[in-house]
């Protein structure tokens, strides 16, 4: 979805440059120069964009639900670890960038969904994603959000990133998290409470061409990911009027469950041991959240999360 939308916006920009309205493109480039750092300084959200009627239909299509398990005080800042990435990250977008669900369940908190910085270099597309409440996933951006002294800010980070998208097969419960500890360090430096979030149904929206680790396809995908910064899973689902093949996601319910907060004391210079200890605790709480809710969303008892 993101690559296609970004390509459309960039194409429109090229048309402006080559057409009679080239002066508009020049003005936009000037604007871009002065506005370049905005995605790292809280973005520029628009409640009007976040409330578009089309997002209501988007959420109802699957449908997408947000489930609260614990109250979160607006006096603190929080770092939500979102799992799994899936292909579309529909649960993160639907729950944290559109509609009133988050605000109603967690009053006093403002969500910021962090995505790869590369998307903010796309003309026009960057304005749209910032309007929806998305900001850069850079360290500077996360620090800006979590540095709010009055509390009430929530950073949502899709921990598995682009690499995890290549594991987004129906039924897959493999999370790329064992080596990902940067978010733990950020939480410690800012004293942001950690909250594990698991989105049941996220991997069921598309089928992906078989790409086991070590296969030729997987090797190519991983090389392209390192070059471009984002993954290119070969996925398919349903069409508009038929269910056998297409790029429209399947209508599978998504239940995004927000766990209980893990209190974190501010530590400007955490040691490796302190980071590892908090990381281990986070994994424990994430697994516990999954185990407590998996029966409600069709996960067999014998299946558990796989961390790699």
């Amino acid at each position: 979805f993101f690559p296609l939308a970004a390509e459309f916006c960039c194409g429109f920009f090229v048309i402006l440059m080559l057409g009679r309205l080239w002066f508009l493109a020049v003005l936009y480039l000037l604007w871009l120069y002065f506005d370049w750092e905005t995605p790292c300084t809280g973005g520029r959200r628009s409640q009007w964009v976040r409330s578009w009627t089309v997002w209501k239909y988007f959420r109802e299509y699957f449908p997408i639900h947000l489930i609260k398990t614990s109250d979160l005080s607006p006096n603190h800042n929080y770092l939500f670890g979102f799992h799994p990435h899936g292909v579309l990250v529909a649960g993160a977008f639907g729950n944290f960038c559109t509609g009133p669900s988050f605000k109603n369940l967690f009053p006093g908190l403002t969500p910021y969904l962090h995505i790869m910085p590369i998307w903010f270099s796309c003309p026009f597309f960057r304005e749209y994603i910032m309007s929806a409440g998305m900001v850069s996933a850079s360290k500077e951006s996360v620090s800006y959000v979590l540095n709010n002294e009055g509390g009430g800010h929530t950073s949502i980070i899709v921990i598995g990133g682009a690499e995890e998208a290549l594991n987004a097969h129906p039924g897959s419960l493999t999370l790329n998290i064992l080596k990902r500890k940067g978010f733990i360090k950020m939480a410690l430096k800012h004293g942001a409470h950690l909250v594990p979030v698991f989105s049941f149904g996220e991997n069921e929206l598309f089928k992906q061409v078989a790409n086991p680790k070590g296969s030729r396809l997987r090797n190519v995908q991983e090389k392209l990911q390192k070059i471009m910064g984002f993954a290119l899973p070969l996925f398919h689902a349903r069409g508009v009027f038929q269910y056998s093949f297409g790029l429209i996601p399947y209508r599978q319910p998504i239940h995004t469950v927000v766990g209980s907060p893990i209190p974190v004391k501010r530590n400007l210079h955490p040691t490796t041991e302190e980071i590892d200890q908090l990381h281990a605790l986070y994994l424990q709480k994430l697994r516990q959240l999954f185990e407590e809710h998996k029966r409600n969303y069709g996960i067999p008892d014998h299946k558990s999360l796989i961390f790699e």
Side-chain angles (χ1 to χ4, degrees):
F1 169 73
F2 268 27
L4 290 175
E7 184 178 342
F8 173 81
C9 291
C10 289
F12 179 68
F13 179 76
V14 171
I15 291 172
L16 284 181
M17 285 291 291
L18 298 178
R20 295 182 179 180
L21 298 178
W22 59 268
F23 62 92
L24 291 179
V26 173
L27 287 176
Y28 182 78
L29 283 175
L30 186 62
W31 158 262
L32 198 61
Y33 175 78
F34 288 106
D35 194 60
W36 190 255
E37 295 300 322
T38 300
C40 294
T41 54
R44 186 171 48 248
R45 70 181 54 221
S46 165
Q47 193 55 43
W48 175 66
V49 173
R50 290 167 60 86
S51 302
W52 280 352
T53 302
V54 67
W55 302 135
K56 176 177 178 290
Y57 294 120
F58 173 80
R59 294 190 305 273
E60 291 178 351
Y61 171 80
F62 298 96
I64 296 174
H65 304 280
L66 185 64
I67 292 88
K68 170 184 174 180
T69 63
S70 177
D71 289 332
L72 299 180
S73 170
N75 297 324
H76 300 292
N77 293 316
Y78 298 91
L79 195 159
F80 283 16
F82 184 91
H83 314 269
H85 185 287
V87 171
L88 189 61
V89 205
F93 177 75
N95 286 311
F96 304 125
C97 296
T98 75
S101 295
F102 184 86
K103 183 178 179 180
N104 292 340
L105 291 176
F106 304 103
L109 296 182
T110 302
Y112 296 83
L113 179 59
H114 296 271
I115 63 174
M116 289 188 300
I118 188 174
W119 300 120
F120 296 99
S121 61
C122 300
F124 300 117
F125 183 65
R126 70 189 295 275
E127 317 304 333
Y128 157 66
I129 56 180
M130 279 197 288
S131 296
M134 297 183 223
V135 291
S136 172
S138 65
K139 292 180 181 179
E140 296 79 11
S141 177
V142 176
S143 291
Y144 183 91
V145 172
L146 297 180
N147 211 27
N148 188 39
E149 293 184 3
H153 280 191
T154 303
S155 280
I156 299 108
I157 301 178
V158 184
I159 305 299
E163 183 182 356
E164 196 171 88
L166 299 178
N167 290 329
H169 296 271
S172 173
L173 295 172
T174 300
L175 303 181
N176 294 76
I177 192 172
L178 290 181
K179 295 180 180 179
R180 296 178 182 266
K181 300 179 182 179
F183 73 105
I184 298 290
K185 190 173 183 179
M186 293 300 292
L188 281 166
K189 282 190 171 184
H190 295 281
H193 294 356
L194 280 168
V195 180
V197 178
F198 195 87
S199 195
F200 292 89
E202 199 74 45
N203 283 340
E204 318 306 315
L205 306 185
F206 296 93
K207 291 179 181 177
Q208 192 174 161
V209 175
N211 59 341
K213 286 196 172 182
S215 66
R216 183 176 298 177
L217 174 59
R218 186 60 169 256
N219 290 337
V220 171
Q221 288 175 320
E222 289 175 346
K223 287 179 181 177
L224 288 174
Q225 177 202 329
K226 290 178 181 178
I227 295 171
M228 299 184 297
F230 56 86
L232 289 174
L234 297 180
F235 61 89
H236 63 89
R238 55 163 291 184
V240 178
F241 301 110
Q242 44 78 28
Y243 290 85
S244 57
F245 189 82
L247 295 179
I248 298 176
Y250 293 115
R251 296 192 70 177
Q252 295 290 339
I254 298 171
H255 295 87
T256 304
V257 184
V258 180
S260 300
I262 303 169
V264 177
K265 215 173 175 184
R266 190 172 189 182
N267 183 350
L268 293 176
H269 304 287
T271 64
T272 301
E273 183 180 358
E274 289 169 331
I275 293 172
D276 289 343
Q277 287 177 350
L278 184 55
H279 186 259
L281 177 60
Y282 178 85
L283 294 183
Q284 177 188 330
K285 294 296 183 181
L286 174 59
R287 188 181 295 279
Q288 181 181 331
L289 177 70
F290 174 82
E291 293 295 332
E292 287 178 354
H293 294 274
K294 67 179 183 181
R295 294 176 187 85
N296 298 333
Y297 307 115
I299 307 294
D301 286 347
H302 68 278
K303 287 205 168 186
S304 296
L305 293 179
I306 300 172
F307 298 146
E308 62 174 34

